[in-house]
Amino acid sequence: MKEYRLTDWLPTTKKEVELRGWDELDVILFSGDAYVDHPSFGAAVIGRILEAEGLRVAIVPQPNWRDDLRDFKKLGRPRLFFGISAGCMDSMVNKYTANKRLRSDDAYTLDARPDMRPEYPSIVYTQILKKIYPDVPVVLGGIEASMRRLTHYDYWQDRVRPSILVDSGADALIYGMGEKPIVELAEKLKHGSEDFKQLISDIPQMVYLSKEVPAQEGDITLFSHEECLKDKKKEAANFRHIEEESNKYEASRILQTVGKQTVVVNPPYPPLTEAELDHSFDLPYTRLPHPKYKGKRIPAYDMIKFSVNIHRGCFGGCAFCTISAHQGKFIVSRSKASILKEVKALMELPDFKGYLSDLGGPSANMYRMKGRDEAVCKKCKRPSCIHPKVCPNLNTDHRPLLDIYHTVDALPGIKKSFIGSGIRYDLLLHQSKDPATNRSTAEYAREVIANHVSGRLKVAPEHTSDRVLSVMRKPPFRQFGEFKKIFDRINREEGLRQQLIPYFISSHPGCKEEDMAELAVITKQMDFHLEQVQDFTPTPMTVATEAWYTGFHPYTLEPVFSAKTPREKLAQRQFFFWYKPEERRNIINELRRIGRQALIDKLYGKR
């Protein structure tokens, strides 16, 4: 077991800075999360990436924004810039339920305390720093800022807001995964003497405000913020461009005026190479919370401390998900050597008992998957490689992933590795033209079900109505039925008694009460008592949110129904729990109201 010293973490206090013998810092990062020195926590990754470039970096986790602001002053002014991340989750999703009720816990905070971050930390922290150090550049990053880089609908305030750069006063914003732009920014600031805006104007993945923007060939100009405030259809139309450019190999620059300024969104970097992703994961993380939290729990860390992320990106393109908008749809996979190096590092942790909780990623089974002909991918702007059908150019070979599982499981000291990430069963059911690939999907299904499930396998059909599923960009429900047959058969053959746990969403755009009633009937017939369910929460920069707010689908501009009032949302959600006696009367009354007696008979029998 490795012994760590305090200086093995990035410094968080003046004393820790002095222990390293530094009299000045180059970059100071502020984070809405507690500091866990682990590659799953964005602030740690950015700190380590900059440290590897020879920079002196400190991190201030969860600064107190209510008092005399000493946390914002204690490390002084950095030589280059301040970096701010609200945390690994959107702060408003973190603080509020789908019904806008305050949550009682925060998984990214010491002992799950719910009061350690403000609403919109990106805005609150920036405004404080700008008052204290008006001349030091402030750069935003992380999921909260990334998803608010342009005009967006904010569910919690029920209004359309401009780019977070306008509300916060920050100098720039890096969207997506920030390793490459943050290094280029630091490099330019180290050597540059020109104006900050001029300096960052050609850095990919950088967003900034400017009063004068010389036109470039291929620019996409969105409807202005003010036009979006007046016309919901224009807001919906904007989103198609935003999503398509997020998912292209070679994207265009996006411009949007707000007031007398223009938000400039530079195109993203190409996807990282394997070597670049390995570099990010192989940095000298302790993989532990900072020692100042000794003896206290950080629930989000407990959840991932024995898991290994093996790839980045997701080509599912689900309408309600922000992963591809942030990480991109192109899969970047780590090398086998890098993955094994991390597994061996986990085995050194003091309380490791031989069990890995997950060998996965944004999706469990997309490792090493990409286009057979990458020239085709470079011209593609489809948001999903698997919806409405699996792209014929996509290589769905599961053999590289099986090799990872087998190699990890063969390590002395590994008793079992579980797959905790969501499995895309549409990839397992897809029949390609290559028989060897098809054999690999069948072998993968058996391998996972027989050896990597901890009694319950979670999958996400999300709904039973194919019309709703089409809006969600999810496969038809019959595919879930096919996968369930495979799951049940393999369990019988292996002598196992495992459960399949499906996830479902209510109140998604396109979903009506009768769709939910039919979901209740279908899942009853399949002998499910649902527990993993959620009410749709509109989060910035997803197709579903834009459809929910505007009433139009961004790609067709056709009207889409959404349940919006608390009464409508509750009427949909109650159907998940048709089996609970306390819900029965309400459900029967609701079905009578909408004239669906046949569904009452199917749920509760004829009277």
Side-chain angles (χ1 to χ4, degrees):
M1 192 180 97
K2 187 171 176 181
E3 289 289 325
Y4 287 105
R5 296 162 304 173
L6 187 56
T7 48
D8 289 323
W9 281 263
L10 296 171
T12 65
T13 63
K14 191 85 174 156
K15 181 189 164 194
E16 290 167 45
V17 171
E18 287 163 359
L19 276 175
R20 290 189 170 219
W22 297 346
D23 54 8
E24 185 184 36
L25 290 160
D26 296 310
V27 179
I28 301 172
L29 303 174
F30 285 81
S31 170
D33 293 339
Y35 172 32
V36 180
D37 192 41
H38 188 285
S40 291
F41 290 76
V45 174
I46 294 301
R48 291 295 187 186
I49 283 281
L50 290 169
E51 179 190 52
E53 297 296 311
L55 295 170
R56 291 164 296 183
V57 188
I59 181 166
V60 181
Q62 299 189 314
N64 188 339
W65 75 100
R66 298 184 180 99
D67 61 4
D68 59 4
L69 308 180
R70 71 185 68 180
D71 283 347
F72 294 88
K73 302 169 188 168
K74 65 183 181 183
L75 298 177
R77 113 189 5 249
R79 192 167 66 91
L80 302 180
F81 64 91
F82 289 113
I84 291 177
S85 166
C88 291
M89 273 178 79
D90 186 281
S91 69
M92 300 306 279
V93 177
N94 193 304
K95 286 185 91 70
Y96 293 95
T97 68
N99 292 326
K100 302 187 183 179
R101 290 203 180 102
L102 264 173
R103 296 187 192 274
S104 57
D105 57 358
D106 178 342
Y108 292 88
T109 298
L110 202 62
D111 289 337
R113 278 184 60 174
D115 58 346
M116 294 295 283
R117 80 178 84 217
E119 295 180 1
Y120 311 104
S122 308
I123 296 172
V124 174
Y125 296 170
T126 302
Q127 289 177 349
I128 291 169
L129 288 170
K130 277 296 177 190
K131 275 183 190 152
I132 304 169
Y133 307 104
D135 55 332
V136 180
V138 174
V139 181
L140 302 180
I143 195 91
E144 177 167 282
S146 185
M147 296 298 102
R148 290 171 163 80
R149 56 190 182 259
L150 289 153
T151 292
H152 58 279
Y153 171 68
D154 187 291
Y155 171 66
W156 298 275
Q157 295 197 344
D158 190 27
R159 69 185 178 99
V160 172
R161 297 183 68 159
S163 165
I164 199 166
L165 287 175
V166 175
D167 285 337
S168 65
D171 297 276
L173 182 162
I174 288 172
Y175 66 95
M177 307 303 277
E179 291 105 328
K180 290 188 87 167
I182 204 84
V183 167
E184 187 172 342
L185 171 67
E187 200 57 37
K188 286 197 165 190
L189 286 171
K190 265 197 301 190
H191 304 295
S193 53
E194 72 244 61
D195 169 69
F196 181 80
K197 290 274 163 70
Q198 196 61 41
L199 199 95
I200 64 170
S201 62
D202 61 349
I203 300 179
Q205 261 167 261
M206 192 66 76
V207 187
Y208 58 94
L209 287 168
S210 181
K211 286 190 174 144
E212 289 177 23
V213 185
Q216 292 178 6
E217 191 182 343
D219 281 351
I220 290 174
T221 302
L222 302 178
F223 291 112
S224 71
H225 176 68
E226 288 73 20
E227 286 177 291
C228 292
L229 289 175
K230 289 178 190 162
D231 188 338
K232 288 183 175 181
K233 199 174 258 194
K234 288 180 176 175
E235 165 70 12
N238 272 358
F239 186 76
R240 177 171 185 169
H241 295 297
I242 296 167
E243 185 178 54
E244 285 180 345
E245 297 311 306
S246 296
N247 285 317
K248 275 162 69 172
Y249 246 96
E250 292 164 9
S252 298
R253 189 172 73 157
I254 294 177
L255 308 176
Q256 184 185 36
T257 61
V258 47
K260 293 180 179 173
Q261 299 191 92
T262 299
V263 182
V264 182
V265 181
N266 286 343
Y269 275 95
L272 296 185
T273 63
E274 180 189 275
E276 287 167 339
L277 188 60
D278 281 357
H279 169 64
S280 182
F281 276 92
D282 293 349
L283 294 166
Y285 304 98
T286 61
R287 287 184 173 73
L288 295 164
H290 190 277
K292 70 179 179 178
Y293 306 128
K294 194 167 180 181
K296 303 287 176 85
R297 273 188 70 237
I298 300 170
Y301 168 68
D302 289 346
M303 214 166 83
I304 56 89
K305 69 177 170 180
F306 299 130
S307 71
V308 178
N309 194 338
I310 62 176
H311 79 264
R312 197 179 269 181
C314 179
F315 50 68
C318 298
F320 47 82
C321 181
T322 57
I323 290 171
S324 69
H326 191 67
Q327 293 192 11
K329 74 174 181 184
F330 296 105
I331 303 300
V332 185
S333 299
R334 294 171 67 185
S335 69
K336 186 174 172 182
S338 174
I339 293 165
L340 291 175
K341 183 178 173 185
E342 184 171 3
V343 171
K344 286 169 184 171
L346 293 185
M347 291 163 72
E348 295 291 311
L349 291 175
D351 46 353
F352 184 72
K353 303 281 195 300
Y355 298 96
L356 290 175
S357 59
D358 190 22
L359 266 176
S363 216
N365 54 323
M366 291 184 183
Y367 180 74
R368 290 238 181 279
M369 291 188 187
K370 58 183 181 180
R372 296 173 200 280
D373 179 356
E374 289 193 56
V376 174
C377 297
K378 286 183 179 178
K379 294 177 194 158
C380 175
K381 58 181 183 180
R382 268 177 66 172
S384 171
C385 303
I386 50 180
H387 186 271
K389 289 195 171 146
V390 176
C391 173
N393 188 45
L394 180 67
N395 180 359
T396 56
D397 190 353
H398 284 67
R399 281 172 292 186
L401 188 48
L402 284 164
D403 179 47
I404 294 290
Y405 291 177
H406 295 153
T407 308
V408 167
D409 287 350
L411 290 172
I414 295 291
K415 294 175 185 171
K416 203 170 182 71
S417 60
F418 296 108
I419 308 307
S421 307
I423 287 169
R424 290 297 305 223
Y425 52 77
D426 42 355
L427 285 173
L428 297 181
L429 297 170
H430 173 64
Q431 290 295 299
S432 80
K433 290 178 181 171
D434 175 28
T437 295
N438 294 337
R439 282 195 296 275
S440 81
T441 58
E443 189 187 337
Y444 178 81
R446 180 170 291 276
E447 172 71 24
V448 167
I449 293 164
N451 300 316
H452 299 278
V453 177
S454 59
R456 294 153 69 97
L457 178 64
K458 294 172 184 173
V459 291
E462 308 294 10
H463 215 286
T464 56
S465 159
D466 286 351
R467 185 177 47 74
V468 177
L469 287 165
S470 177
V471 180
M472 289 178 161
R473 294 191 188 139
K474 294 289 284 187
F477 187 69
R478 64 175 166 72
Q479 290 196 16
F480 173 72
E482 288 170 35
F483 179 70
K484 185 178 183 301
K485 283 178 188 164
I486 293 168
F487 180 82
D488 292 343
R489 174 175 56 77
I490 291 172
N491 270 287
R492 278 195 307 275
E493 290 168 359
E494 299 286 338
L496 297 166
R497 297 182 64 186
Q498 300 179 136
Q499 282 180 291
L500 198 57
I501 307 295
Y503 279 67
F504 289 97
I505 297 178
S506 60
S507 301
H508 191 277
C511 179
K512 297 182 177 173
E513 274 177 57
E514 40 263 62
D515 298 313
M516 292 303 299
E518 282 162 9
L519 181 151
V521 168
I522 291 166
T523 54
K524 179 191 178 184
Q525 289 166 348
M526 296 178 86
D527 204 23
F528 284 115
H529 282 194
L530 301 181
E531 49 185 84
Q532 298 291 342
V533 296
Q534 68 181 86
D535 198 12
F536 171 68
T537 305
T539 55
M541 211 174 277
T542 67
V543 180
T545 296
E546 294 301 322
W548 191 89
Y549 161 67
T550 65
F552 301 102
H553 194 286
Y555 279 72
T556 63
L557 298 182
E558 293 291 317
V560 179
F561 168 80
S562 293
K564 289 193 173 180
T565 67
R567 195 211 153 277
E568 287 174 328
K569 287 161 82 71
L570 188 62
Q572 291 208 15
R573 186 180 168 80
Q574 68 186 352
F575 285 104
F576 286 139
F577 308 110
W578 61 268
Y579 55 87
K580 293 186 176 180
E582 64 268 27
E583 299 291 354
R584 180 172 175 150
R585 179 184 292 276
N586 287 340
I587 287 173
I588 289 172
N589 289 342
E590 196 59 31
L591 288 173
R592 280 192 185 132
R593 190 184 71 79
I594 61 174
R596 301 301 297 266
Q597 180 64 43
L599 291 173
I600 298 173
D601 296 343
K602 285 179 182 174
L603 275 179
Y604 299 113
K606 289 187 181 176
R607 294 186 169 184

